Amino acid sequence: MSAVKLKGIKLTWLGHATFRMITPRGTIILVDPWVMGNPACPAGEKQIQRVDVMLCTHGHGDHIGDAVEIATKHNPRVVGIPELCGWLTKKGVKQTAEMNKGGTQEIADIKVTMVHADHSCGIQDGDQMIYGGEACGYVVEFDNGVRIYHAGDTNVFGDMAIIRDLYRPSIAMLPIGDHYTMSPREAAYACNLLKPETVIPMHFATFPLLKGRPAELSRLVEGVEVLEMKPGETVT
Ligand code: NI
Ligand code: MN
């Protein structure tokens, strides 16, 4: 049994960097909409039934691969950096809610803060590579006081200490796969900067290159719960 404190929030990992969070009032948030094309997403979760808010960390296909299809079908508010939102608008997404790093906006019953990530952000559009702004992470504050940090794709960076000082997330979703993002070694260092109560490893094992594993992270950290979820699993 996990010690994670969610106070009525339902959190489901859909594999890779994709999470669904349902607020105590029932708002459905999808972070990094990659489900139909996501080999780690369980078959029963590949059809999104409803989504109210979509948070996009950056323009790579393993994060926004299904953003256009899901957003045009369900018409959620779609949060992203302006260059990415501009591209999504061109593709027919109606309700973008652009913002940039350091900003916070209220959407439905959550407050969303866009924070730094250290990663690239081109958007592959057919045979073109479109400028997608920069990659980011998000801190989501729920109206029950819980704050969750989704790091997006990133290496570890010293300013994670600022994220801790200003926003104090109790839960951190960190990539650990290595190669394209942090390894468990860097993620352990990130835990020392962020000091969350719970860390949820993500962005590993989807492809053979993503070799980092939660057990390695567990060996390297102290005083933080490493919550190893299975794709499709929900914690409440
Ligand atoms: Ni990426
Ligand atoms: Mn990625």
Side-chain angles (χ1 to χ4, degrees):
M1 196 62 196
S2 167
V4 68
K5 294 182 198 78
L6 286 164
K7 300 182 187 170
I9 300 161
K10 285 186 189 136
L11 192 70
T12 305
W13 187 36
L14 298 179
H16 204 59
T18 306
F19 286 86
R20 179 174 55 226
M21 305 190 283
I22 306 181
T23 72
R25 289 199 224 168
T27 304
I28 302 180
I29 303 149
L30 192 61
V31 187
D32 279 350
W34 191 48
V35 289
M36 290 88 96
N38 180 351
C41 180
E45 293 282 4
K46 284 192 189 276
Q47 289 309 314
I48 297 292
Q49 305 300 328
R50 200 190 109 195
V51 54
D52 302 303
V53 180
M54 204 180 259
L55 308 180
C56 300
T57 63
H58 65 295
H60 290 162
D62 58 320
H63 297 260
I64 61 153
D66 297 321
V68 171
E69 189 172 335
I70 294 169
T72 50
K73 188 171 176 195
H74 297 285
N75 202 27
R77 304 284 303 276
V78 182
V79 178
I81 212 153
E83 293 81 358
L84 177 58
C85 283
W87 181 83
L88 290 168
T89 302
K90 274 191 192 156
K91 297 293 173 185
V93 175
K94 295 281 182 256
Q95 293 202 81
T96 55
E98 66 169 40
M99 65 190 304
N100 219 315
K101 295 176 188 180
T104 300
Q105 60 176 325
E106 273 188 65
I107 298 187
D109 52 342
I110 57 169
K111 286 183 188 150
V112 182
T113 302
M114 182 179 280
V115 296
H116 184 61
D118 203 351
H119 190 69
S120 62
C121 189
I123 307 169
Q124 189 75 47
D125 187 347
D127 59 359
Q128 304 260 63
M129 184 62 81
I130 310 282
Y131 176 67
E134 289 194 7
C136 71
Y138 292 101
V139 177
V140 179
E141 181 175 348
F142 295 81
D143 68 358
N144 62 6
V146 171
R147 288 179 297 275
I148 298 179
Y149 168 48
H150 186 295
D153 280 1
T154 188
N155 57 346
V156 67
F157 54 91
D159 289 353
M160 284 179 174
I162 298 178
I163 295 173
R164 168 183 158 76
D165 286 346
L166 291 178
Y167 306 111
R168 300 199 171 255
S170 58
I171 299 165
M173 299 158 166
L174 300 180
I176 64 158
D178 206 337
H179 200 87
Y180 292 113
T181 69
M182 287 195 275
S183 61
R185 185 179 177 209
E186 289 208 359
Y189 198 100
C191 286
N192 288 335
L193 297 173
L194 292 161
K195 297 185 169 52
E197 291 170 18
T198 302
V199 58
I200 302 178
M202 63 169 178
H203 210 280
F204 65 92
T206 319
F207 313 111
L209 271 176
L210 307 186
K211 291 191 182 77
R213 290 294 180 271
E216 267 177 272
L217 178 61
S218 293
R219 274 198 296 279
L220 296 170
V221 294
E222 264 176 52
V224 52
E225 179 197 20
V226 178
L227 177 57
E228 184 177 353
M229 296 182 73
K230 297 277 174 275
E233 186 183 343
T234 299
V235 288
T236 57

